[in-house]
Each structure stands twice: as C-alpha cells, then as structure tokens.
C-alpha cells in the first residue's frame, strides 16, 4: 500500500548530471559585487607581479585570479578562500 502512495510523486534525482554544465557567469547576478572586483582587478597593471613567478613545470594560477579572490574575501569577511571556493558560488567566478 505504501508503494502506491510514493509512486504519485516525481522521482528524486539528486545525482543527476548536466549534459553540459551551465556557465559559472550565470550563477551570479549582473550587479554582483564579485563582478565589480573582477573588473577592478582587470584594470590594474599586474606585470611586475606576474614577472615574479619563476618558470616551473606546473603553471601557476593567474595573478589576477588570486588578487581578485584576496580582495573579494577581505571585502566580504571570508578569510579562508580555499574552503569558500568550494562552498560559495561567488568564489568560483574567479576562474581557478
């Protein structure tokens, strides 16, 4: 009898994968503060900072991404960006 009752509902599909994942830029509104931070950092001259990286076999993260995370984290009071990058959609926008 219980089986008949449950079958009226849609199946719960929590493990459903997207055929193509949605773009990260769709996760944030057009006026989100993070977009402002990215635009601000993109206007900075980071050539000296980028020259400080030495050549290695592993490509480092881009200086603009790391600086954007730092600025956004301090501005919003999030000081552990490693965990925030996985938990908050806004931190994923920085293209890591």
């Amino acid at each position: 009898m219980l089986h008949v009752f449950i079958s009226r509902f849609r199946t719960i599909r929590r493990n459903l994968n997207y055929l193509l994942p949605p773009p990260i830029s769709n996760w944030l509104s057009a006026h989100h503060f993070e977009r402002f931070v990215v635009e601000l950092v993109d206007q900075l001259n980071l050539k000296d900072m980028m020259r400080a990286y030495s050549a290695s076999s592993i490509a480092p993260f881009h200086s603009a991404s790391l600086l954007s995370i730092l600025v956004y984290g301090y501005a919003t009071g999030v000081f552990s960006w490693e965990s925030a990058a996985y938990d908050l959609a806004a931190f994923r926008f920085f293209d890591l």
Side-chain angles (χ1 to χ4, degrees), residues 6 15 18 27 34 37 47 54 63 68 75 77-78 80-81 91:
I6 294 175
N15 295 325
Y18 291 105
W27 296 5
E34 186 165 348
V37 171
K47 290 179 184 177
S54 62
S63 300
S68 296
V78 178
S80 175
W81 69 269
F91 276 90

Side-chain angles (χ1 to χ4, degrees), residues 12 84 95:
I12 299 172
D95 191 31

Side-chain angles (χ1 to χ4, degrees), residues 4-44:
V4 174
F5 180 73
I6 294 175
S7 65
R8 296 186 318 174
F9 298 98
R10 292 181 180 207
T11 305
I12 299 172
R13 298 182 292 171
R14 291 188 179 104
N15 295 325
L16 181 67
N17 293 325
Y18 291 105
L19 179 60
L20 296 172
I24 292 176
S25 61
N26 289 353
W27 296 5
L28 302 176
S29 67
H31 301 291
H32 195 277
F33 179 62
E34 186 165 348
R35 292 184 188 273
F36 170 75
V37 171
V38 168
E39 289 178 21
L40 178 72
V41 170
D42 283 346
Q43 294 176 11
L44 298 176

